Structures are given as structure tokens and as C-alpha cells.
Amino acid sequence: MLVYVRGAGDIATGVAARLVRAGVSVVMADIAVPTCIRRTISFCEAIRLGEVEVEGIRARLAQTPAEALETGDVAVVVDPQAQMLGELKPSAVVDAILAKRNLGTTRDMAPVVIAVGPGFTAPVDCDAVVETMRGHFLGRVITQGSPQPNTGVPGVIAGYGKERVIHSPAAGVFRSDRAIGDIVSVGDVIGYAGDTPMFTTIDGCLRGLLADGVQVTEGFKCADVDPRGDANY
């Protein structure tokens, strides 16, 4: 069985890992310059690095549908418009882009189409949609209706919610001399949008950080600080 996963960020990577461990072949598609911040646990890094390994599962960049089918590992392709579906003919499509809205997934893309997170209604644009909101309904499979709407507020960890996420104060090319796992303190510069610095407002550990060279807009999510301060997380 082949499953085509739209998106290759952290949630999509979790989906792919479960499928691989169940014996399913996986092709993942993302944009040419991925914007995931939790890069150490995201297969989209294969686009930047050529290959990457997460929890013992290797993902490799593939340039064509034929190459994607031959890799033997999770194949990652640059295919934001899902143009490779015609050649790949997957048994199922999973939309795990987590854009909080539908970026073009339709029920006719495969025999089974599953979406993850808000922005979808089953069975209108997918056969089923999975709830991603933290709480009692997390992981619930919805076959009639929609998941809870996006609140725009990150989940609370150790008493901190929106303070955990660092957004760009300006437009520009992102750069940073920090690394995921670094311990940071209030007021530390974690990166720049062009020449404009961005600061952390809490103490903790950098759990997510955008890759250098990504063009960002004002308000773009660039980093995530875990206030528990444990690099293992």
C-alpha cells in the first residue's frame, strides 16, 4: 500500500512514522522551502539536506515519481500542488499540512482521503478528518462534520501559551546563530528577520527554530521556546 502525505512537518512526520511501522509505503510532499520550525523531528528537512532520520526511520529527497517509488525509505518530494498523484496512484492521501485551512485537497485525489486538523469538513472535502485540538477530543476521527476551529493560541506548557512562540517583528530573510536545543533566557536574541532582531520573552529551551534563508513576513512563526528547559524534549 502507498500513502501520499501532503506536508512533511512534525505532525505529518508522526503520521508517516506510524504508517511505515505498519508496513505502508509513504511519499511525502512539501514546498520547495519548508517553513517547519521543529526541524529535528520533521522529514521535510530532507528537502534541505537530501536525507534525514527521525526515530530510526530514514527519509530521502526524490526528484520524480519513479524515484520516489524506488527509494526504499520515506520519499520526500517537492510537490505542493500534488501534481505527482497521477503517476503515483496512492491508495490514500493524507492532508497533514496543518495550514488550518484546505489548500486544495479533494475527495477524488485517492480512494481514501483523510485530513488532519481544522479547515476540512467530512465527507465534503475528505472521507474523514482527525481532531488536533489538545483536550478530550484529540485524535478523534470525524466522518461527519468538522474539527474544532483554530483558536490561534498555542497549547499551554508550564503555564505559558502564546509567550512560547516567537513571531517575526518584520519582513525579511530569517537567520540565526542559535540551534534547536539551546537554553535561552528572557531578552535573548534568537534570530533576525533581515536586520531586525527577535527576542524571547521567557526562559527555556529552543524546541523549534526556522531554517536560515527562509523569507518571512511580519508575524511569521519563527521559533518555539519550551519553558521546561529540557533539551531532550
Side-chain angles (χ1 to χ4, degrees), residues 2 25-28 50-51 58-77:
L2 174 68
S25 297
V26 176
V27 174
M28 308 185 79
E51 64 178 64
R58 185 172 299 277
R60 299 179 188 272
L61 177 64
Q63 303 294 341
T64 65
E67 188 179 339
L69 294 172
E70 294 169 357
T71 176
D73 299 300
V74 172
V76 182
V77 296

mmCIF file of all heavy atoms in Angstrom, residues 2 25-28 50-51 58-77:
data_model
loop_
_atom_site.group_PDB
_atom_site.id
_atom_site.type_symbol
_atom_site.label_atom_id
_atom_site.label_comp_id
_atom_site.label_asym_id
_atom_site.label_seq_id
_atom_site.Cartn_x
_atom_site.Cartn_y
_atom_site.Cartn_z
ATOM 1 N N LEU A 2 0.479 2.237 -0.804
ATOM 2 C CA LEU A 2 1.184 3.507 -0.853
ATOM 3 C C LEU A 2 0.255 4.614 -0.359
ATOM 4 O O LEU A 2 -0.891 4.709 -0.801
ATOM 5 C CB LEU A 2 1.640 3.816 -2.283
ATOM 6 C CG LEU A 2 2.262 5.199 -2.499
ATOM 7 C CD1 LEU A 2 3.602 5.306 -1.778
ATOM 8 C CD2 LEU A 2 2.419 5.496 -3.981
ATOM 9 N N SER A 25 4.044 1.971 2.543
ATOM 10 C CA SER A 25 4.990 2.840 1.851
ATOM 11 C C SER A 25 4.453 4.271 1.863
ATOM 12 O O SER A 25 3.248 4.491 1.717
ATOM 13 C CB SER A 25 5.186 2.382 0.405
ATOM 14 O OG SER A 25 5.750 1.085 0.375
ATOM 15 N N VAL A 26 5.357 5.240 2.028
ATOM 16 C CA VAL A 26 4.936 6.630 2.183
ATOM 17 C C VAL A 26 5.730 7.548 1.267
ATOM 18 O O VAL A 26 6.962 7.476 1.202
ATOM 19 C CB VAL A 26 5.106 7.100 3.647
ATOM 20 C CG1 VAL A 26 4.755 8.576 3.777
ATOM 21 C CG2 VAL A 26 4.244 6.266 4.585
ATOM 22 N N VAL A 27 5.013 8.404 0.548
ATOM 23 C CA VAL A 27 5.607 9.530 -0.174
ATOM 24 C C VAL A 27 5.047 10.799 0.449
ATOM 25 O O VAL A 27 3.830 10.923 0.629
ATOM 26 C CB VAL A 27 5.272 9.487 -1.679
ATOM 27 C CG1 VAL A 27 5.777 10.763 -2.366
ATOM 28 C CG2 VAL A 27 5.889 8.259 -2.333
ATOM 29 N N MET A 28 5.937 11.725 0.812
ATOM 30 C CA MET A 28 5.518 12.972 1.444
ATOM 31 C C MET A 28 5.830 14.133 0.512
ATOM 32 O O MET A 28 6.873 14.141 -0.157
ATOM 33 C CB MET A 28 6.234 13.178 2.781
ATOM 34 C CG MET A 28 6.124 12.006 3.723
ATOM 35 S SD MET A 28 6.857 12.343 5.335
ATOM 36 C CE MET A 28 5.554 13.326 6.095
ATOM 37 N N GLY A 50 18.862 16.589 1.809
ATOM 38 C CA GLY A 50 18.984 15.409 0.955
ATOM 39 C C GLY A 50 18.436 14.156 1.608
ATOM 40 O O GLY A 50 17.768 13.351 0.971
ATOM 41 N N GLU A 51 18.722 13.987 2.894
ATOM 42 C CA GLU A 51 18.145 12.879 3.658
ATOM 43 C C GLU A 51 18.174 13.234 5.134
ATOM 44 O O GLU A 51 18.947 14.082 5.578
ATOM 45 C CB GLU A 51 18.878 11.566 3.403
ATOM 46 C CG GLU A 51 20.326 11.535 3.853
ATOM 47 C CD GLU A 51 20.956 10.173 3.592
ATOM 48 O OE1 GLU A 51 21.082 9.778 2.421
ATOM 49 O OE2 GLU A 51 21.330 9.517 4.585
ATOM 50 N N ARG A 58 14.348 6.594 7.977
ATOM 51 C CA ARG A 58 15.083 7.482 7.093
ATOM 52 C C ARG A 58 14.161 8.013 5.991
ATOM 53 O O ARG A 58 13.344 7.285 5.436
ATOM 54 C CB ARG A 58 16.263 6.744 6.458
ATOM 55 C CG ARG A 58 17.168 7.651 5.602
ATOM 56 C CD ARG A 58 18.407 6.900 5.170
ATOM 57 N NE ARG A 58 19.184 6.459 6.323
ATOM 58 C CZ ARG A 58 20.049 7.237 6.976
ATOM 59 N NH1 ARG A 58 20.251 8.479 6.572
ATOM 60 N NH2 ARG A 58 20.726 6.768 8.003
ATOM 61 N N ALA A 59 14.322 9.296 5.706
ATOM 62 C CA ALA A 59 13.601 9.919 4.597
ATOM 63 C C ALA A 59 14.612 10.498 3.623
ATOM 64 O O ALA A 59 15.635 11.053 4.032
ATOM 65 C CB ALA A 59 12.673 11.014 5.105
ATOM 66 N N ARG A 60 14.325 10.350 2.334
ATOM 67 C CA ARG A 60 15.234 10.841 1.295
ATOM 68 C C ARG A 60 14.475 11.707 0.302
ATOM 69 O O ARG A 60 13.319 11.442 -0.016
ATOM 70 C CB ARG A 60 15.885 9.667 0.547
ATOM 71 C CG ARG A 60 16.736 8.749 1.410
ATOM 72 C CD ARG A 60 17.296 7.609 0.571
ATOM 73 N NE ARG A 60 17.966 6.608 1.384
ATOM 74 C CZ ARG A 60 19.246 6.648 1.720
ATOM 75 N NH1 ARG A 60 19.998 7.657 1.298
ATOM 76 N NH2 ARG A 60 19.787 5.696 2.460
ATOM 77 N N LEU A 61 15.161 12.702 -0.213
ATOM 78 C CA LEU A 61 14.596 13.555 -1.242
ATOM 79 C C LEU A 61 14.529 12.794 -2.559
ATOM 80 O O LEU A 61 15.501 12.147 -2.955
ATOM 81 C CB LEU A 61 15.451 14.816 -1.403
ATOM 82 C CG LEU A 61 15.030 15.793 -2.500
ATOM 83 C CD1 LEU A 61 13.659 16.383 -2.217
ATOM 84 C CD2 LEU A 61 16.073 16.906 -2.638
ATOM 85 N N ALA A 62 13.401 12.861 -3.225
ATOM 86 C CA ALA A 62 13.225 12.259 -4.553
ATOM 87 C C ALA A 62 12.798 13.352 -5.520
ATOM 88 O O ALA A 62 12.035 14.254 -5.169
ATOM 89 C CB ALA A 62 12.178 11.153 -4.500
ATOM 90 N N GLN A 63 13.292 13.259 -6.743
ATOM 91 C CA GLN A 63 13.014 14.297 -7.737
ATOM 92 C C GLN A 63 11.820 13.972 -8.628
ATOM 93 O O GLN A 63 11.189 14.876 -9.169
ATOM 94 C CB GLN A 63 14.255 14.517 -8.606
ATOM 95 C CG GLN A 63 15.504 14.883 -7.844
ATOM 96 C CD GLN A 63 15.429 16.244 -7.168
ATOM 97 O OE1 GLN A 63 14.600 17.078 -7.535
ATOM 98 N NE2 GLN A 63 16.280 16.482 -6.189
ATOM 99 N N THR A 64 11.520 12.685 -8.787
ATOM 100 C CA THR A 64 10.453 12.265 -9.693
ATOM 101 C C THR A 64 9.579 11.208 -9.027
ATOM 102 O O THR A 64 10.001 10.568 -8.053
ATOM 103 C CB THR A 64 11.035 11.664 -10.980
ATOM 104 O OG1 THR A 64 11.737 10.448 -10.645
ATOM 105 C CG2 THR A 64 11.985 12.643 -11.668
ATOM 106 N N PRO A 65 8.361 10.973 -9.541
ATOM 107 C CA PRO A 65 7.536 9.895 -9.001
ATOM 108 C C PRO A 65 8.235 8.539 -9.049
ATOM 109 O O PRO A 65 8.158 7.754 -8.101
ATOM 110 C CB PRO A 65 6.293 9.923 -9.893
ATOM 111 C CG PRO A 65 6.200 11.333 -10.363
ATOM 112 C CD PRO A 65 7.627 11.769 -10.551
ATOM 113 N N ALA A 66 8.930 8.246 -10.154
ATOM 114 C CA ALA A 66 9.624 6.963 -10.280
ATOM 115 C C ALA A 66 10.691 6.818 -9.202
ATOM 116 O O ALA A 66 10.832 5.762 -8.572
ATOM 117 C CB ALA A 66 10.250 6.838 -11.666
ATOM 118 N N GLU A 67 11.446 7.882 -8.967
ATOM 119 C CA GLU A 67 12.475 7.852 -7.938
ATOM 120 C C GLU A 67 11.845 7.697 -6.557
ATOM 121 O O GLU A 67 12.382 6.996 -5.684
ATOM 122 C CB GLU A 67 13.302 9.136 -7.997
ATOM 123 C CG GLU A 67 14.526 9.131 -7.092
ATOM 124 C CD GLU A 67 15.320 10.422 -7.196
ATOM 125 O OE1 GLU A 67 15.179 11.136 -8.201
ATOM 126 O OE2 GLU A 67 16.086 10.705 -6.256
ATOM 127 N N ALA A 68 10.695 8.325 -6.345
ATOM 128 C CA ALA A 68 10.009 8.222 -5.053
ATOM 129 C C ALA A 68 9.593 6.790 -4.754
ATOM 130 O O ALA A 68 9.653 6.333 -3.608
ATOM 131 C CB ALA A 68 8.786 9.129 -5.038
ATOM 132 N N LEU A 69 9.207 6.060 -5.802
ATOM 133 C CA LEU A 69 8.757 4.680 -5.613
ATOM 134 C C LEU A 69 9.914 3.712 -5.432
ATOM 135 O O LEU A 69 9.732 2.604 -4.928
ATOM 136 C CB LEU A 69 7.901 4.254 -6.800
ATOM 137 C CG LEU A 69 6.561 4.983 -6.952
ATOM 138 C CD1 LEU A 69 5.907 4.604 -8.275
ATOM 139 C CD2 LEU A 69 5.644 4.682 -5.776
ATOM 140 N N GLU A 70 11.112 4.133 -5.801
ATOM 141 C CA GLU A 70 12.271 3.239 -5.756
ATOM 142 C C GLU A 70 13.133 3.412 -4.516
ATOM 143 O O GLU A 70 14.006 2.588 -4.244
ATOM 144 C CB GLU A 70 13.156 3.472 -6.991
ATOM 145 C CG GLU A 70 12.509 3.074 -8.306
ATOM 146 C CD GLU A 70 13.308 3.555 -9.508
ATOM 147 O OE1 GLU A 70 14.325 4.246 -9.297
ATOM 148 O OE2 GLU A 70 12.904 3.257 -10.649
ATOM 149 N N THR A 71 12.902 4.459 -3.729
ATOM 150 C CA THR A 71 13.852 4.822 -2.687
ATOM 151 C C THR A 71 14.013 3.784 -1.583
ATOM 152 O O THR A 71 15.082 3.614 -1.040
ATOM 153 C CB THR A 71 13.472 6.185 -2.067
ATOM 154 O OG1 THR A 71 14.361 6.481 -0.992
ATOM 155 C CG2 THR A 71 12.053 6.177 -1.511
ATOM 156 N N GLY A 72 12.947 3.068 -1.228
ATOM 157 C CA GLY A 72 13.039 2.105 -0.139
ATOM 158 C C GLY A 72 12.860 2.737 1.228
ATOM 159 O O GLY A 72 12.615 2.052 2.217
ATOM 160 N N ASP A 73 13.005 4.047 1.306
ATOM 161 C CA ASP A 73 12.762 4.802 2.528
ATOM 162 C C ASP A 73 11.531 5.672 2.309
ATOM 163 O O ASP A 73 10.895 5.607 1.259
ATOM 164 C CB ASP A 73 13.973 5.688 2.862
ATOM 165 C CG ASP A 73 15.243 4.885 3.091
ATOM 166 O OD1 ASP A 73 15.235 4.042 4.006
ATOM 167 O OD2 ASP A 73 16.223 5.097 2.351
ATOM 168 N N VAL A 74 11.197 6.488 3.305
ATOM 169 C CA VAL A 74 10.176 7.506 3.075
ATOM 170 C C VAL A 74 10.710 8.459 2.008
ATOM 171 O O VAL A 74 11.833 8.955 2.110
ATOM 172 C CB VAL A 74 9.863 8.276 4.373
ATOM 173 C CG1 VAL A 74 8.953 9.465 4.082
ATOM 174 C CG2 VAL A 74 9.223 7.357 5.407
ATOM 175 N N ALA A 75 9.947 8.678 0.974
ATOM 176 C CA ALA A 75 10.353 9.600 -0.082
ATOM 177 C C ALA A 75 9.723 10.956 0.177
ATOM 178 O O ALA A 75 8.533 11.057 0.490
ATOM 179 C CB ALA A 75 9.920 9.067 -1.443
ATOM 180 N N VAL A 76 10.531 12.007 0.048
ATOM 181 C CA VAL A 76 10.037 13.374 0.202
ATOM 182 C C VAL A 76 10.208 14.082 -1.137
ATOM 183 O O VAL A 76 11.306 14.086 -1.699
ATOM 184 C CB VAL A 76 10.793 14.125 1.314
ATOM 185 C CG1 VAL A 76 10.217 15.529 1.490
ATOM 186 C CG2 VAL A 76 10.724 13.360 2.627
ATOM 187 N N VAL A 77 9.121 14.647 -1.636
ATOM 188 C CA VAL A 77 9.148 15.312 -2.926
ATOM 189 C C VAL A 77 8.672 16.756 -2.784
ATOM 190 O O VAL A 77 7.936 17.090 -1.855
ATOM 191 C CB VAL A 77 8.260 14.585 -3.968
ATOM 192 C CG1 VAL A 77 8.788 13.193 -4.236
ATOM 193 C CG2 VAL A 77 6.800 14.533 -3.514
#
